[in-house]
Amino acid sequence: MLIKKEKLSDIKENEITDESVYKQRREFIKKTGILAAISVVPALMVSSCADAAPEQATLTFKKTSHGKDLKPTAIKHVTTYNNFYEFGTSKSSPAIAAQSLKIEPWSITVEGDVKNPGKYNLEDILKKNPLEERIYRFRCVEAWSMVIPWVGFPLADFIKQLEPGSKAKYIEFQTLHDPEQMPGQKSSVLQWPYTEGLRIDEAMHPLVMMATGVFGKSIPKQNGAPIRLVVPWKYGFKNIKSIVKMRFVEQQPKSSWELAAPLEYGFYANVNPKVDHPRWTQSRERIIGSFRRRKTDMFNGYADEVASLYTGVDLKKFF
Ligand SMILES: Nc1nc2c(c(=O)[nH]1)N[C@H]1C(S)=C(S)[C@@H](COP(=O)(O)O)O[C@H]1N2
Ligand SMILES: [Mo]
């Protein structure tokens, strides 16, 4: 499968604009002397996080051509700039606080309209579902983006093994709920357990992965160990971490974000530069690890592959 390449004309236009912004910022920094301060602090933070994080296991997986033209974001950004509200609401807290999560043994409970419900040990799931690496764009609803080399398996294969019934129109996913291990759950910032949902045909799309690794190693706790969802054409919040439950249901599930702010976060959450967040534009994104911005692509650049899932759906109404 081919991933849509950026049009060269788009990139040039963005880079020219951003270079001048970048230069202005350098000028400002030189004048004010902030540079010394900001370059020292993140370096210290990164090294202390790296010390706190245990060694990640090296995985065996097949390389694929997915995203071979994309340049991954530096690993230190991917593993220290996180959203994982179970471990605090700041970007830097999960890398430290998530180390208390116990990821072994781990299982996923499958419920609802399926022929093979039950509690599946992660090890058994992985025996049937060989791993592969795919490099995907990742776009947060907060208008920043990264490029991430995930290691995982197609969710569609696992769903086929479960044999959904005819009433299963949606899959609801849930994260572990254990406030002792996940101190952020002592706050009511979101309704716990963290919940997300996909239409079953979205979940079966070949781009959707269950990821257990990143950068060739087992996934760090702050990134959703030991298993998380990756749906590259949707905003980051759909990509639920540390999954313990999948329910095959008839009614459209409500995500934790929809429950918290229904006017800001819809069920679909497709990356869509034409539908702004009520508080900011979605037409551009900040590239984490650089001073650049780029134009946001429809469906995060995966339109050729996924647009047909939404024919006849009003994406302004069902955002
Ligand atoms: N359980 C759980 N999953 C979650 C979140 C969360 O707070 N809890 N945050 C979401 C959001 S808003 C984003 S942008 C991505 C961030 O993934 P990353 O930290 O691996 O980049 O995880 C998503 N999955
Ligand atoms: Mo996000």
Side-chain angles (χ1 to χ4, degrees), residues 37-105:
I38 57 167
S39 60
V40 168
V41 175
L44 283 175
M45 272 172 54
V46 167
S47 70
S48 68
C49 293
D51 289 340
E55 273 290 302
Q56 306 296 316
T58 303
L59 300 173
T60 309
F61 57 88
K62 189 182 86 187
K63 292 234 176 214
T64 69
S65 61
H66 283 270
K68 64 177 168 39
D69 302 324
L70 299 172
K71 188 175 171 281
T73 303
I75 189 166
K76 67 168 191 236
H77 297 302
V78 176
T79 58
T80 62
Y81 190 87
N82 300 105
N83 268 331
F84 201 168
Y85 274 33
E86 286 85 341
F87 298 104
T89 55
S90 84
K91 298 283 179 286
S92 56
S93 61
I96 297 159
Q99 303 316 318
S100 62
L101 177 66
K102 196 170 159 273
I103 54 171
E104 261 178 26

Side-chain angles (χ1 to χ4, degrees), residues 81-86 138 140 144 150 175 194 222-223 228 236-237 239-241 257:
Y81 190 87
N82 300 105
N83 268 331
F84 201 168
Y85 274 33
E86 286 85 341
F138 179 91
C140 178
W144 50 262
W150 298 111
T175 296
Y194 190 100
Q222 60 269 33
N223 293 92
R228 61 95 54 88
F237 67 90
N239 295 239
I240 180 172
K241 298 176 168 182
W257 294 104

Side-chain angles (χ1 to χ4, degrees), residues 263-309:
L263 298 176
E264 302 194 5
Y265 307 108
F267 172 82
Y268 279 95
N270 289 316
V271 175
N272 188 341
K274 286 177 255 164
V275 178
D276 287 337
H277 185 279
R279 292 183 279 137
W280 58 80
T281 174
Q282 292 293 27
S283 66
R284 294 172 74 73
E285 62 203 44
R286 193 161 55 85
I287 302 173
I288 298 296
S290 90
F291 289 112
R292 287 177 50 207
R293 279 170 204 274
R294 66 190 296 279
K295 273 197 242 165
T296 290
D297 293 323
M298 189 64 199
F299 298 114
N300 205 23
Y302 300 96
D304 290 350
E305 288 146 289
V306 303
S308 64
L309 287 170

